[in-house]
Amino acid sequence: LGTGADIVAIRANWDRFIEKQFLIALGSLSCSEAQLGYLSQMDSVFNQSEEQGLAAAQDEFLSAWNGLSTYPDSLAEREDLLGEAESLLYGLNSSYSELRDMSASVESEIADQVNTANDLIDSIGLLNEQISANPDNYELVASRDQAIRELDELIGVEVLSYEDGSTKIYTETGHPLVEGEETHHLAVAYDDDTSKTGLFWENGSGGLVDITPMNDDDGNPVSGRTDSGSIAGLFITRDEYVQPTMDRLNDYTSTLIWETNVAHSQGAGLEPHTAVEGTYGVDDQTAPLSDCGLDFDDKITSGEFTLYTYDADGNMTASSAISIDPATDSLDDVVADINTAFGGTLTASVNSD
């Protein structure tokens, strides 16, 4: 008496139902937290106010066009427009660059987390083997439970536990990751159908099953695809937010370029030209303009443009309308038509660029 207490036995009080609910909540939380981190970064990229951001730069750009249309001969107005255009381009390029870096960071984090998940899968398989040999070792059981929770944070799992201490772990889509001592890994691989990397489950024969998170047109998770855990959150961030935003920024910029060029093409320089050279190129100068690799070739419509020539005193000496049918006319055809129309006083040619 008086020498303290002896430990007779250790028993784990563990409720399967509560643990299942905890894993569901943990996987969902991890998925949301993975998205939150990057969406917060996107908020900072598109920080808009009346004084700064793409919206403000666009307003200044359009305002400069209005100023130039009021004073078309003003060199100051032209320089102001050029400056505002450069500011807008800087904003577009820097925003896209940040999104591109963000996408690369997501890809890197996905790869790291999949490697961590595979390490946990192997660890759980080893712990299962050790527990089967010593089912009363609660330190091993506690280590396995912790590893399962850490795995669930990465990819949502469902756990089947048996009275003999054995455990089977499946993804929420029903793909086995750990069955006793047998394990199945996850993999990140390039998907030819989507032209980007995806998440795959490795079956026993080495084949890959696509379980990349994906939503349908209504925004609901597609059956058979994982949608829980931080790995799912990273894929959702990439595919539902970062990449679509990059695509929309590209579309906006492309439209801005086209509309600016259309407006610019209707104007005239302050000085007549003795020579001009195009900045766009074609892949095939003999192919129809609608299929020659020219930027914006899908926007070319049938019509005509007019060229004028002047003498040294500024008097117009000749003019000719050149007809264009993008379905049949090639760049070489346009060159030939110009040369025919002006009989050598004005010549056109295609260079190697």
Side-chain angles (χ1 to χ4, degrees):
L1 294 176
T3 60
D6 292 329
I7 297 175
V8 178
I10 297 176
R11 165 172 277 176
N13 289 317
W14 187 80
D15 190 294
R16 295 180 183 177
F17 176 78
I18 294 177
E19 185 69 12
K20 180 177 181 179
Q21 300 307 307
F22 175 79
L23 291 177
I24 292 174
L26 181 61
S28 179
L29 175 63
S30 298
C31 180
S32 298
E33 286 181 335
Q35 297 176 60
L36 177 62
Y38 283 101
L39 294 181
S40 297
Q41 292 183 44
M42 289 183 66
D43 274 346
S44 65
V45 171
F46 294 101
N47 180 25
Q48 304 292 312
S49 69
E50 293 183 1
E51 294 80 22
Q52 65 178 9
L54 291 178
Q58 176 187 263
D59 289 343
E60 293 297 328
F61 174 70
L62 296 176
S63 177
W65 272 103
N66 288 331
L68 182 58
S69 66
T70 304
Y71 304 101
D73 295 337
S74 170
L75 184 60
E77 299 293 341
R78 288 169 178 251
E79 290 178 344
D80 180 55
L81 173 57
L82 181 60
E84 297 301 344
E86 290 173 341
S87 296
L88 178 56
L89 288 174
Y90 174 80
L92 290 168
N93 284 328
S94 60
S95 296
Y96 190 86
S97 178
E98 288 187 68
L99 290 172
R100 184 178 56 207
D101 292 344
M102 193 181 303
S103 179
S105 177
V106 170
E107 291 281 2
S108 177
E109 196 168 350
I110 286 172
D112 290 342
Q113 292 197 11
V114 168
N115 287 335
T116 301
N118 287 333
D119 289 342
L120 287 168
I121 290 169
D122 290 338
S123 177
I124 294 169
L126 178 61
L127 286 167
N128 273 343
E129 180 182 2
Q130 294 172 339
I131 291 171
S132 66
N134 191 3
D136 294 328
N137 189 326
Y138 290 109
E139 287 189 17
L140 294 175
V141 174
S143 296
R144 183 181 64 186
D145 291 343
Q146 180 59 30
I148 291 173
R149 289 183 174 188
E150 292 177 8
L151 178 62
D152 181 70
E153 286 187 88
L154 298 173
I155 180 170
V157 297
E158 293 186 359
V159 181
L160 298 180
S161 300
Y162 299 92
E163 295 297 335
D164 61 359
S166 61
T167 297
K168 294 183 179 180
I169 301 174
Y170 298 84
T171 66
E172 291 180 326
T173 56
H175 297 90
L177 297 174
V178 182
E179 295 180 295
E181 302 171 15
E182 182 182 350
T183 59
H184 298 270
H185 282 175
L186 302 172
V188 178
Y190 185 80
D191 189 344
D192 291 331
D193 294 334
T194 61
S195 300
K196 54 189 176 184
T197 58
L199 180 66
F200 294 84
W201 171 78
E202 296 181 353
N203 61 26
S205 58
L208 298 179
V209 177
D210 192 352
I211 59 172
T212 310
M214 179 182 292
N215 291 335
D216 58 24
D217 294 337
D218 296 326
N220 299 314
V222 173
S223 177
R225 304 297 186 97
T226 185
D227 64 350
S228 182
S230 58
I231 294 175
L234 291 171
F235 273 106
I236 292 170
T237 297
R238 184 196 70 177
D239 297 337
E240 300 292 331
Y241 298 104
V242 178
Q243 189 59 54
T245 303
M246 293 173 68
D247 293 340
R248 286 194 294 270
L249 195 59
N250 263 334
D251 291 342
Y252 165 80
T253 306
S254 180
T255 302
L256 181 68
I257 292 170
W258 172 256
E259 294 298 337
T260 300
N261 287 348
V262 168
H264 190 260
S265 70
Q266 304 308 306
L270 297 179
E271 299 289 338
H273 297 288
T274 57
V276 291
E277 182 174 334
T279 55
Y280 290 115
V282 298
D283 294 333
D284 185 353
Q285 66 196 66
T286 65
L289 291 173
S290 61
D291 189 32
C292 66
L294 182 68
D295 287 341
F296 302 108
D297 57 11
D298 59 319
K299 294 182 178 293
I300 304 175
T301 58
S302 296
E304 61 181 29
F305 66 93
T306 305
L307 294 170
Y308 302 88
T309 59
Y310 299 82
D311 62 20
D313 297 324
N315 300 311
M316 188 177 70
T317 58
S319 67
S320 183
I322 308 299
S323 298
I324 297 291
D325 182 351
T328 58
D329 291 333
S330 67
L331 187 60
D332 279 349
D333 293 331
V334 177
V335 166
D337 289 345
I338 292 173
N339 289 331
T340 299
F342 287 92
T345 59
L346 176 67
T347 61
S349 62
V350 180
N351 63 27
S352 61
D353 295 328

